[in-house]
Amino acid sequence: MLLEKNKINTQVNRGSIMKAILCKSFGTPENLVLEEVQDLKPKEGEALVEVYAAALNFPDTLQIVGKYQYQPPFPFSPGSEAAGIIIELGPNIKGFEIGDRVMAIPGVGAMAEQVCVPASGLRIIPDSMNFKTASGFPMVYSTSYYALKQRANLKPGETLLVLGASGGVGVTAVELGKLMGAQVIAGASSEEKLQFAKKAGADFLVNYSDGDLKTKIKELTKGKGADVIYDPVGGDLFDQATRCINWNGRLLVVGFTSGRIPEYKANLALLKGASMVGVFLGRWMIEEPEAYETNMGELFEFFKQGKIKPAVYQSFKMDDFVSAFNIFKERKVMGKVTLEFKK
């Protein structure tokens, strides 16, 4: 049974006012406001999407405090992922129609009842995928698949260590790594988070809250270390990861949720014959769009075949955005966190 039809054929009654979560100055989530603003109008090559759900990501928490690499002018609505229905098409946009159910990557502005999105940032939602799932699907899955497939060239039988394994990107790395035939070690800071990662297919679980990641990985791998290490955390965990990587290992730099950007000691790369490999999805999408499209097509097929099962950890109502953001602040994220704008 389909959850929602792929195209919604309804008459859209547009007013002149919508609601948006706005950042008017840098600060904590409590500094954000929910206000009425003017309806949007799509420009050339854009579609106007009525947002049903928006996903939160760690960079959103950096952006509202002024610590992200891209800072839009004030006031802005945070959020880089959403899902909803196209309600208006701008000039010269092809491949989409009014009523299409889409997932959207607008870059910024997703936490609002409407968002304008260029055609390159839109994907038709598979029939069996609901809006909450769709809102949090593209960035985490495409990041992890790009990391493991293109950057690490992960091979069946290799050992993959995933740090921050219960987080949005971490749990997808566990899931995809297992699907690609790797032996997966999930690392996290609590037993609750490890059990969450286990449900995604992890073979072994490592609690690194005691600061002894290196010893535990060496014991699990009989002294060899992991072939591929997926690191969205950085900080002290990165330092330890460089010391528990196998010969010809690949250390994937995905992000720095710990708050500290670490440094890689060149002698460790030399002694291990190892590589530190950057994973920057946004740049890759621009540089190699055809490869990105191929990956997205394969991810959709995995979903349709039931090989991947996106995990929405918690969903909040639109006006409870502070609680949604504080899930990240309190380091309680497991899977995706979403905001509901419409049912």
Side-chain angles (χ1 to χ4, degrees), residues 123-248:
R123 297 290 180 284
I124 300 293
I125 299 173
D127 290 342
S128 57
M129 186 182 289
N130 62 36
F131 286 122
K132 283 194 292 186
T133 299
S135 71
F137 185 90
M139 291 188 66
V140 290
Y141 275 102
S142 55
T143 294
S144 292
Y145 198 37
Y146 165 53
L148 300 177
K149 179 183 173 184
Q150 276 88 5
R151 302 304 286 152
N153 190 25
L154 182 67
K155 300 178 180 65
E158 288 191 313
T159 298
L160 167 67
L161 167 61
V162 180
L163 306 179
S166 67
V169 290
V171 74
T172 61
V174 170
E175 194 175 18
L176 289 169
K178 190 64 180 174
L179 181 60
M180 296 168 73
Q183 177 176 254
V184 181
I185 304 172
S189 60
S190 73
E191 290 305 314
E192 181 184 14
K193 290 179 178 180
L194 287 172
Q195 291 305 312
F196 187 82
K198 184 178 181 180
K199 292 178 181 178
D203 297 291
F204 300 100
L205 308 176
V206 171
N207 188 326
Y208 49 60
S209 59
D210 60 1
D212 193 17
L213 176 69
K214 174 186 172 182
T215 300
K216 294 175 180 179
I217 298 304
K218 286 285 191 176
E219 289 176 352
L220 275 176
T221 59
K222 298 180 180 179
K224 293 182 178 181
D227 298 298
V228 175
I229 301 178
Y230 183 101
D231 180 18
V233 183
D236 295 343
L237 283 174
F238 176 94
D239 299 337
Q240 294 185 60
T242 61
R243 291 170 168 80
C244 60
I245 193 167
N246 197 6
W247 176 253
N248 283 333

Side-chain angles (χ1 to χ4, degrees), residues 2 28 83 89 99 122 161 163 168 228 266 273 277 294 307 320 324 327 334:
L2 300 184
T28 64
L89 298 174
L122 295 169
L161 167 61
L163 306 179
V228 175
V277 186
T294 297
K307 294 180 178 179
D320 197 15
I327 290 287
M334 292 187 288

Side-chain angles (χ1 to χ4, degrees), residues 64-110:
I64 65 172
V65 297
K67 294 183 179 180
Y68 192 53
Q69 56 199 8
Y70 165 67
Q71 292 296 154
F74 295 123
F76 67 88
S77 179
S80 54
E81 289 184 295
I85 298 170
I86 292 177
I87 56 175
E88 187 175 344
L89 298 174
N92 299 319
I93 183 169
K94 298 178 181 179
F96 298 95
E97 298 178 5
I98 292 175
D100 281 345
R101 299 173 64 249
V102 293
M103 58 179 67
I105 307 178
V108 69

Side-chain angles (χ1 to χ4, degrees), residues 246-266:
N246 197 6
W247 176 253
N248 283 333
R250 291 85 76 200
L251 176 52
L252 298 168
V253 180
V254 183
F256 313 104
T257 59
S258 68
R260 178 172 74 85
I261 299 176
E263 296 181 356
Y264 191 26
K265 294 186 179 298

